[in-house]
């Protein structure tokens, strides 16, 4: 592995980590689509600022992009606050408008500069190591590493300094207001951090991959834990895994690195979706089957409490259950000493009577 490949992996890991930190709180606040809106709408801020300063290297472009990101959030919140639109509809209206105006300005006034929409959407991380930061003829290495390193410090500082405020305003805004925190201020600080992250990362990997890295690792971690600190650690681990495995996958089959990283984030999410202990698909199916089994067992107990005795065939006819299902139920109830069998008829044991009466009493209290 040569130095260029190592630098690409470092850049990919940095992009993944800086993207996932704001993404965690976007997921928890239910505004994941806001990252997509900001990643597209900042194009307008970049283009407007470029038309003013006429320099692609100017740091004012970053300020313009951040301003466009915050303006996007403000416009969306304004549409929601006047109760004329729901959140998803407001996002769907604002960011296409901003992005479209940006594309028109690029096509009309910046056609001959390196600001094409394909680069903005898809990016190309393979070229990032060749864009060097040079000061006084001293080569300080890839510009992307320095830029993303600074953004990482900003994001980590924000997370550490405002962890309590972020946590309380995310889970209970009313309680945060009572404690003296401003949920609105924290929200706009979070959106400013999201804008800065998006601006720094999208030039390296493109806005589509930024959205994937911002949302998918955090969503994967959300499936595995309900603890915020654990979710942060898991999200960063999944983001780094996606970057490293994605690069290896792209190198192996010679495809886009950014696309491969986004694909790996999706694959890791699907694995978690299937096998997550509590929120996974397989776990949900097993829990559903277990609940069905428990409800069926309670029904048999209540039926026997009222009718004294029954048979396996009668249970199949009454509840339209298969004979195999009833056999499993009765074996379980016999194992728990809830029923006994005599001359092909089933009766409740003393323990079964107490169990069924408790179930019946619970149901009456609920009603």
């Amino acid at each position: 592995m040569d130095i260029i490949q190592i630098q690409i992996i470092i850049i990919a890991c940095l992009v993944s980590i800086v993207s996932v930190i704001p993404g965690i709180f976007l997921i928890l606040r239910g505004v994941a689509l806001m990252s997509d809106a900001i990643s597209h709408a900042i194009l307008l801020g970049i283009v407007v600022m470029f038309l003013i300063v006429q320099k692609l290297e100017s740091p004012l472009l970053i300020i313009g992009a951040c301003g466009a990101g915050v303006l996007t959030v403000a416009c969306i919140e304004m549409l929601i606050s006047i109760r004329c639109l729901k959140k998803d509809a407001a996002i769907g209206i604002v960011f296409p408008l901003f992005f479209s105006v940006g594309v028109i300005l690029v096509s009309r006034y910046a056609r001959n500069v390196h600001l094409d929409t394909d680069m903005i959407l898809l990016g190309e991380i393979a070229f990032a190591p060749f864009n060097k930061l040079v000061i006084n003829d001293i080569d300080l290495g890839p510009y992307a590493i320095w830029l993303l390193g600074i953004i990482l410090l900003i994001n980590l500082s924000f997370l550490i300094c405002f962890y309590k405020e972020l946590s309380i305003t995310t889970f209970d805004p009313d309680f945060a207001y009572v404690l003296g925190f401003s949920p609105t201020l924290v929200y706009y600080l979070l959106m400013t951090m999201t804008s800065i992250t998006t601006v720094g990362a999208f030039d390296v990997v493109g806005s589509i991959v930024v959205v994937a890295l911002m949302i998918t690792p955090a969503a994967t971690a959300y499936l595995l834990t309900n603890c915020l600190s654990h979710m942060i650690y898991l999200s960063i681990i999944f983001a780094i895994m996606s970057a490293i495995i994605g690069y290896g996958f792209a190198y192996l089959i010679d495809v886009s690195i950014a696309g491969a990283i986004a694909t790996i984030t999706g694959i890791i999410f699907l694995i978690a979706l299937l096998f997550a202990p509590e929120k996974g698909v397989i776990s949900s199916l097993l829990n559903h089957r277990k609940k069905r089994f428990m409800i069926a067992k309670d029904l048999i107990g209540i039926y026997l409490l009222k009718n004294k005795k029954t048979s396996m065939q009668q249970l199949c006819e009454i509840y339209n259950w298969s004979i195999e299902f009833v056999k499993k139920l009765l074996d379980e109830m016999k194992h728990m000493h809830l029923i006994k069998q005599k001359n092909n008829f089933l009766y409740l044991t003393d323990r079964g009577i107490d169990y069924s009466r408790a179930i019946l009493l619970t149901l009456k209290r609920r009603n």
Side-chain angles (χ1 to χ4, degrees):
M1 183 177 291
D2 59 31
I3 186 65
I4 297 298
Q5 291 174 312
I6 293 173
Q7 289 174 345
I8 291 174
I9 292 174
I10 292 172
I11 292 169
C13 290
L14 285 172
V15 171
S16 303
I17 298 170
V18 299
S19 299
V20 83
I21 292 174
I24 293 165
F25 294 96
L26 295 179
I27 286 286
L28 292 175
R29 287 168 179 258
V31 291
L33 275 179
M34 200 68 84
S35 63
D36 192 25
I38 292 174
S39 67
H40 285 76
I42 58 173
L43 174 64
L44 178 60
I46 293 174
V47 177
V48 170
M49 197 56 73
F50 169 75
L51 294 176
I52 295 172
V53 299
Q54 294 293 317
K55 287 183 180 178
L56 272 177
E57 299 79 13
S58 172
L60 292 176
L61 267 64
I62 296 178
I63 296 174
C66 292
V70 175
L71 181 62
T72 302
V73 175
C75 290
I76 291 170
E77 292 299 323
M78 185 186 69
L79 288 176
I80 296 170
S81 65
I82 59 178
R83 301 182 185 278
C84 65
L85 289 172
K86 291 185 177 180
K87 185 173 291 183
D88 54 348
I91 292 173
I93 288 174
V94 173
F95 95 78
L97 175 64
F98 280 34
F99 183 68
S100 302
V101 174
V103 170
I104 290 171
L105 291 176
V106 169
S107 304
R108 183 69 179 84
Y109 300 107
R111 191 174 298 171
N112 297 321
V113 298
H114 184 58
L115 200 60
D116 56 284
T117 50
D118 287 342
M119 188 68 189
I120 290 167
L121 288 172
L122 304 176
E124 187 45 82
I125 193 172
F127 296 152
F130 300 103
N131 184 15
K132 304 287 187 179
L133 177 64
V134 179
I135 299 177
N136 294 329
D137 296 329
I138 301 174
D139 185 351
L140 298 177
Y143 172 77
I145 291 180
W146 286 96
L147 176 64
L148 294 169
I150 293 171
I151 295 174
L152 179 60
L153 284 177
I154 294 172
N155 287 359
L156 286 177
S157 301
F158 181 76
L159 179 63
I160 293 169
C161 294
F162 295 97
Y163 181 80
K164 182 172 66 177
E165 289 82 357
L166 281 167
S167 305
I168 297 175
T169 56
T170 297
F171 295 112
D172 195 341
D174 295 333
F175 183 59
Y177 189 78
V178 171
L179 291 179
F181 301 134
S182 171
T184 304
L185 177 61
V186 176
Y187 179 71
Y188 275 97
L189 286 174
L190 173 64
M191 290 305 161
T192 303
M193 182 174 74
T194 304
S195 299
I196 293 172
T197 303
T198 305
V199 173
F202 94 120
D203 188 42
V204 180
V205 294
S207 63
I208 293 174
V209 182
V210 170
V211 174
L213 289 171
M214 196 170 280
I215 301 304
T216 314
T220 305
Y222 183 68
L223 291 173
L224 298 174
T225 181
N226 294 319
C227 174
L228 177 58
S229 58
H230 294 172
M231 184 177 173
I232 293 172
Y233 297 139
L234 286 173
S235 299
I236 293 174
I237 290 171
F238 290 139
I240 294 174
M241 283 175 58
S242 301
I244 296 175
I245 298 173
Y247 175 76
F249 181 61
Y251 180 78
L252 190 66
I253 62 173
D254 191 21
V255 295
S256 163
I257 298 171
I261 291 173
T263 302
I264 295 299
T265 62
I267 291 173
I268 293 174
F269 174 80
L270 286 176
I271 293 172
L273 182 65
L274 286 174
F275 300 106
E278 293 182 5
K279 302 174 184 174
V281 173
I282 294 176
S283 175
S284 297
L285 290 174
L286 291 175
N287 287 334
H288 176 73
R289 185 179 176 184
K290 187 177 178 181
K291 285 181 181 177
R292 180 171 176 255
F293 200 78
M294 288 180 64
I295 292 171
K297 191 171 63 180
D298 293 346
L299 282 175
I300 292 176
I302 294 171
Y303 181 83
L304 281 173
L305 193 64
K306 291 182 177 178
N307 299 280
K308 305 301 182 185
K309 68 177 182 179
T310 187
S311 64
M312 186 184 300
Q313 188 63 35
Q314 196 172 9
L315 288 174
C316 294
E317 292 174 357
I318 293 172
Y319 295 110
N320 197 25
W321 291 333
S322 67
I323 189 72
E324 292 80 12
F325 182 67
V326 174
K327 280 182 180 177
K328 287 182 182 178
L329 279 171
L330 297 180
D331 288 343
E332 175 73 13
M333 294 183 76
K334 286 177 184 175
H335 180 72
M336 295 173 66
H337 304 291
L338 298 178
I339 60 171
K340 57 187 177 182
Q341 188 168 0
K342 188 176 180 182
N343 299 328
N344 291 328
F345 284 101
L346 300 163
Y347 302 87
L348 283 176
T349 63
D350 292 340
R351 187 175 181 179
I353 292 172
D354 293 340
Y355 175 85
S356 301
R357 283 175 176 168
I359 295 294
L360 200 58
L361 185 61
T362 303
L363 291 175
K364 286 181 178 178
R365 285 175 178 172
R366 287 180 183 175
N367 293 329

